[in-house]
Amino acid sequence: MTDVQLPTELIVSLLRVLERVEERLEKLDKHFEHTKSLYTLDPTKKQGLSQSHVEYDEPISSHETPGKTSKTQVSTMQHSVVAKVRYSDWSENSWSLQFEAEGEALLQRYLGDYWKVPNDNRLPTFKPNLKARLDILRQFDTQLRSEKGNDFVVIDYDLMNNTRIYRIGEAAIGNELMVDPTQLGNAPWSRLILYQGMTTGDSINLDNSNFQEGLPKQIPYFGRGNTSTGLWSHIHSHLHLKPRETTTNPYLDAGAGFHTTFYEIREDEHLGLNEVWKHGRLYDHPRGWNFRKSAYTLHIATGADTFAGDTSDFENLTRHWSILLLAPDYFFNENNTSFPLQALPSSSSGHHLGRLTRQGAEMNLIGQGLERISERWAAFQSYFDYILDGGDSLMQPNEHDNLLFDDGAFSRSRRYFWAIDCLSEFEASISDNITQWELYKQARVTPLFSSNVLPDLDLTQFRNAERQYHILQNQREYFRRKLVSTKALRDA
């Protein structure tokens, strides 16, 4: 048998691969030994884990009424005997192993602290393994956030009111999370990813050849594969303003997140230059403003700890969650009180999103979305009052009579026809906002009422969403009445 001489370059490459595999195995051995030490009753006595890395659950939250033991407090007390460790110790981040000697320094230069985001085994965030892909990720994020009002941010929560905020290219904000080291499988913390302004700016172009089947070949924030199918279907619905099918209740599927479309006025006469979504000019607006059709979408990642309908252990099964929130530009800002987007205040008031179960977090975000959507509809109410009757024409008889007459250019008739088309479309759109909450409530919330398993904080989120739902119902009545009156003026 003839000996085969391998090229020197190939031999060197193989040796490098073997060295990296050996380094990886050594790290895994150390991580395994470290994890074993966390299961002891007194983890502070183990080598390599200082007292500063260990905390114990605080069972009483500042937002709950003194002297009253709520469902949330009872649940937290059940976990309070377990020592907590930093979540960076619970989940090792292996990004640096992809880049040999340059490792962490290279990642820090391109991504800031974002490369340190621990894997939660629920939402597949993209982990580049080549320098070129690091550059793609950084450039994509820079293009997105160059437009004011756009954002991509990862916010992690534990049960002790700690919050950690990550953006690409920046230092992390907030405290290191403290988690239960005895929990295996999916991450013992909660995560919210806000992707805001996807369609505004130059980061995405629907006419670009990089699109395939209605989606970009690569939005580099997220990975691909079997576990990400639901994620990409929600991004597709959001990007293309695809309505939810309502012939059957879509929320009976545990993987279906809340999704609805609406219209909003944009105070920007140059909107069309860099906007993917359907948009156009407002009729006869004195400042030349535009309006746009937009979407609000939640994707709730499912995993081994997903609640499957058994309410006997509801709170434990839904305690930790990961949610992707897709919103238009400017939808949320630093004044948002439910989840932080900037540096955290030294003392926070109100409930903490990380204290909510998955169901409560969903209802919180749905309630916030419906509130902001109703604000958009209120802006249209003021606009139609202005263009259809100049405001309050009831107290101005001459102006009121002029509503019945037209000029030679039929300007008033053309305005009425345009308004009727818009009002008809808006009535259908606001009806969808209402219907989506009704279907979600029927499938996801009503079954939990009979078993009385929703914690008090979750019930507060439900009541807020219901309040926004009733506001939308009243606004729909306005559009219906305005449509009838505008048709009467046109016919006259």
Side-chain angles (χ1 to χ4, degrees):
M1 180 176 178
T2 305
D3 291 337
V4 178
Q5 177 128 18
L6 297 175
T8 304
E9 295 82 358
L10 180 57
I11 294 174
V12 171
S13 297
L14 289 173
L15 288 173
R16 284 179 180 171
V17 171
L18 290 174
E19 286 173 359
R20 290 171 59 189
V21 169
E22 187 176 2
E23 288 174 4
R24 175 63 175 159
L25 290 174
E26 287 177 0
K27 281 181 173 286
L28 289 174
D29 286 340
K30 290 178 183 178
H31 183 63
F32 176 72
E33 291 299 324
H34 176 69
T35 304
K36 280 203 307 182
S37 71
L38 303 180
Y39 285 84
T40 62
L41 292 176
D42 188 1
T44 63
K45 293 182 180 179
K46 286 292 179 183
Q47 183 179 3
L49 189 63
S50 67
Q51 180 68 45
S52 63
H53 288 74
V54 182
E55 293 183 15
Y56 289 84
D57 242 346
E58 173 57 53
I60 303 298
S61 176
S62 61
H63 63 265
E64 287 160 345
T65 307
K68 178 187 175 185
T69 303
S70 69
K71 296 177 189 175
T72 304
Q73 290 180 17
V74 170
S75 172
T76 309
M77 289 174 185
Q78 292 172 350
H79 297 282
S80 62
V81 296
V82 180
K84 303 293 183 181
V85 299
R86 292 181 177 179
Y87 82 144
S88 57
D89 292 329
W90 186 93
S91 176
E92 182 187 19
N93 192 305
S94 60
W95 278 34
S96 59
L97 297 179
Q98 304 287 336
F99 296 95
E100 298 182 353
E102 297 177 272
E104 296 182 6
L106 177 70
L107 290 164
Q108 195 72 32
R109 188 165 68 251
Y110 273 89
L111 304 180
D113 285 342
Y114 182 78
W115 73 271
K116 300 175 184 177
V117 174
N119 183 18
D120 66 358
N121 298 322
R122 289 186 289 256
L123 274 176
T125 52
F126 181 58
K127 300 198 183 301
N129 58 0
L130 296 171
K131 279 187 187 179
R133 293 183 180 178
L134 282 177
D135 195 49
I136 289 171
L137 177 57
R138 180 62 186 268
Q139 286 185 11
F140 187 92
D141 184 75
T142 299
Q143 279 189 312
L144 174 82
R145 293 201 283 135
S146 66
E147 292 285 338
K148 193 175 180 181
N150 291 359
D151 207 354
F152 182 85
V153 57
V154 176
I155 311 171
D156 286 348
Y157 305 90
D158 64 16
L159 296 178
M160 302 175 70
N161 286 347
N162 293 314
T163 305
R164 191 81 161 163
I165 305 172
Y166 299 91
R167 284 185 178 87
I168 292 174
E170 299 181 7
I173 301 172
N175 300 325
E176 178 85 21
L177 269 57
M178 305 303 294
V179 300
D180 179 359
T182 64
Q183 293 197 29
L184 302 177
N186 288 329
W189 66 84
S190 297
R191 172 167 293 168
L192 173 67
I193 299 181
L194 172 64
Y195 187 2
Q196 179 165 285
M198 176 193 298
T199 67
T200 304
D202 298 322
S203 61
I204 287 182
N205 181 357
L206 286 176
D207 297 326
N208 194 295
S209 60
N210 285 330
F211 271 70
Q212 186 176 25
E213 297 178 358
L215 279 174
K217 290 180 180 177
Q218 185 180 36
I219 292 181
Y221 294 130
F222 306 108
R224 291 186 177 271
N226 294 335
T227 59
S228 61
T229 303
L231 179 149
W232 287 105
S233 68
H234 283 78
I235 290 177
H236 181 274
S237 296
H238 183 80
L239 185 60
H240 294 276
L241 301 169
K242 186 178 179 182
R244 272 271 190 264
E245 180 60 55
T246 57
T247 52
T248 59
N249 192 328
Y251 302 108
L252 293 172
D253 177 2
F258 185 85
H259 170 72
T260 192
T261 60
F262 59 97
Y263 287 84
E264 58 182 333
I265 293 175
R266 293 301 309 272
E267 301 176 8
D268 182 1
E269 56 185 281
H270 303 296
L271 175 66
L273 297 178
N274 57 356
E275 177 57 53
V276 170
W277 277 336
K278 175 183 174 184
H279 58 276
R281 291 269 181 167
L282 285 169
Y283 192 96
D284 206 21
H285 194 283
R287 296 186 182 178
W289 287 355
N290 293 272
F291 72 115
R292 175 183 70 184
K293 189 173 185 180
S294 304
Y296 184 71
T297 309
L298 273 67
H299 167 58
I300 298 88
T302 56
D305 55 354
T306 300
F307 173 62
D310 179 11
T311 59
S312 60
D313 197 22
F314 167 79
E315 196 164 355
N316 284 331
L317 287 172
T318 61
R319 171 53 60 200
H320 305 297
W321 42 264
S322 294
I323 297 176
L324 171 63
L325 179 57
L326 305 173
D329 59 326
Y330 290 102
F331 207 73
F332 295 103
N333 57 40
E334 62 275 6
N335 297 320
N336 171 55
T337 57
S338 185
F339 55 86
L341 294 178
Q342 298 297 334
L344 304 174
S346 56
S347 60
S348 56
S349 59
H351 69 264
H352 188 285
L353 197 65
R355 290 256 181 193
L356 301 175
T357 67
R358 165 181 154 167
Q359 200 71 56
E362 284 184 61
M363 290 189 292
N364 174 283
L365 297 173
I366 292 171
Q368 287 195 72
L370 294 181
E371 180 180 8
R372 284 160 176 76
I373 289 171
S374 71
E375 291 171 357
R376 272 68 177 168
W377 290 127
F380 278 111
Q381 288 178 263
S382 300
Y383 167 71
F384 279 112
D385 285 342
Y386 169 77
I387 68 158
L388 291 178
D389 56 23
D392 186 7
S393 62
L394 187 62
M395 300 296 181
Q396 304 174 58
N398 291 334
E399 288 296 324
H400 189 271
D401 290 343
N402 286 337
L403 299 177
L404 301 176
F405 298 96
D406 212 338
D407 56 23
F410 300 101
S411 56
R412 193 174 296 278
S413 295
R414 287 188 286 112
R415 179 181 300 180
Y416 290 155
F417 276 106
W418 181 88
I420 288 170
D421 285 343
C422 276
L423 288 166
S424 299
E425 173 64 21
F426 291 175
E427 192 273 334
S429 182
I430 199 170
S431 291
D432 179 70
N433 305 153
I434 292 167
T435 299
Q436 293 304 320
W437 169 247
E438 290 173 340
L439 292 173
Y440 176 90
K441 179 172 62 174
Q442 180 186 41
R444 303 276 177 85
V445 186
T446 302
L448 299 176
F449 284 147
S450 58
S451 32
N452 194 32
V453 296
L454 282 175
D456 293 343
L457 286 180
D458 288 15
L459 289 171
T460 299
Q461 315 317 310
F462 170 76
R463 286 190 286 269
N464 179 61
E466 277 284 277
R467 183 164 55 251
Q468 305 307 324
Y469 161 72
H470 291 301
I471 291 173
L472 286 168
Q473 287 181 312
N474 292 333
Q475 290 177 314
R476 180 172 61 179
E477 283 305 305
Y478 165 87
F479 286 113
R480 285 175 171 173
R481 292 194 302 269
K482 184 63 74 174
L483 178 60
V484 170
S485 65
T486 304
K487 285 181 177 179
L489 289 170
R490 178 202 61 185
D491 295 341

